[in-house]
Amino acid sequence: MHAANLAKSERLLRVRNFLNDGKWHSTLEIIRKAHVCAVSAITSELRANGLDIECERRGDRWYHRMAT
């Protein structure tokens, strides 16, 4: 996978800034509030840029957060 550069990608920056609070957020919440699609791909790209992003499944929903 080719990951976008965090400093040059508005979508990665929006998600990074949204997850920066360290709280768990659902995939749908990230899509709506950060105005992005493909959250799992974005979290992979953020990891490739050195960020520690955690994901966890709760029932049929996925939640994401930036590790603190």
Side-chain angles (χ1 to χ4, degrees), residues 6 22 37 39-40 42 47 50 52 55:
L6 179 61
C37 296
V39 172
S40 62
I42 292 171
R47 287 185 188 116
D52 189 5
C55 299

Side-chain angles (χ1 to χ4, degrees), residues 13-63:
L13 287 170
R14 283 194 309 269
V15 174
R16 192 263 333 249
N17 291 340
F18 183 69
L19 294 176
N20 211 25
D21 64 3
K23 297 178 184 176
W24 288 102
H25 298 281
S26 70
T27 300
L28 186 56
E29 184 181 8
I30 296 167
I31 289 168
R32 288 181 175 165
K33 300 221 173 147
H35 308 286
V36 295
C37 296
V39 172
S40 62
I42 292 171
T43 57
S44 292
E45 289 183 88
L46 289 172
R47 287 185 188 116
N49 277 274
L51 299 177
D52 189 5
I53 307 296
E54 299 176 328
C55 299
E56 105 178 3
R57 187 175 180 170
R58 300 180 192 167
D60 62 345
R61 294 190 179 141
W62 284 91
Y63 291 82

